[in-house]
Amino acid sequence: ASAIDGVGEGLAARLADLVARDVDPDAYDRKVTDAFFDGARLRSIPARQKKQRVVLKRLLADFAPGEPYPESAVNEILRRAHDDVATLRRLMIAERLMTRENGIYWRV
């Protein structure tokens, strides 16, 4: 039993050490951005949803909150980053980063 107690204490100490360290909350976003963007150009659309969301949030910065955008304007803005604008539009709607009504889009 003492061997098990020793392992438990060791794990608790390591966990406490990890929690106490300063963690950069934006490190993951930077890593994903560096991997998928070449400057302003998106190399590819990530397959994993968590990475997609990071990419989409970066693209969303090109849209002013509350301003209506016709689909053609959304396409023009997104095309600066990647040619598959239809997929990017659908993902932004699915992730609730933008809304669409009657062909008009808004940043949420």
Side-chain angles (χ1 to χ4, degrees):
S2 64
I4 293 173
D5 291 339
V7 169
E9 289 171 8
L11 289 175
R14 286 178 46 202
L15 180 59
D17 180 52
L18 288 172
V19 170
R21 290 184 193 174
D22 288 332
V23 177
D24 182 359
D26 298 323
Y28 178 78
D29 288 6
R30 278 196 305 274
K31 181 180 173 185
V32 171
T33 299
D34 290 347
F36 285 92
F37 282 90
D38 184 13
R41 196 78 181 142
L42 179 61
R43 290 184 188 109
S44 63
I45 299 170
R48 297 202 180 270
Q49 184 178 12
K50 184 176 178 182
K51 291 179 181 179
Q52 281 178 2
R53 188 151 179 93
V54 171
V55 165
L56 295 173
K57 286 191 317 187
R58 170 153 176 198
L59 296 174
L60 193 66
D62 291 334
F63 296 90
E67 185 174 326
Y69 292 90
E71 188 170 299
S72 60
V74 173
N75 290 345
E76 182 180 324
I77 291 167
L78 292 176
R79 191 166 282 113
R80 293 180 212 150
H82 197 274
D83 291 332
D84 191 354
V85 295
T87 297
L88 292 173
R89 276 194 334 264
R90 282 193 292 272
L91 290 171
M92 288 183 143
I93 296 297
E95 288 293 323
R96 301 178 193 267
L97 298 172
M98 293 189 93
T99 59
R100 173 184 58 211
E101 187 176 323
N102 299 322
I104 302 296
Y105 291 73
W106 290 270
R107 177 180 167 175
V108 175

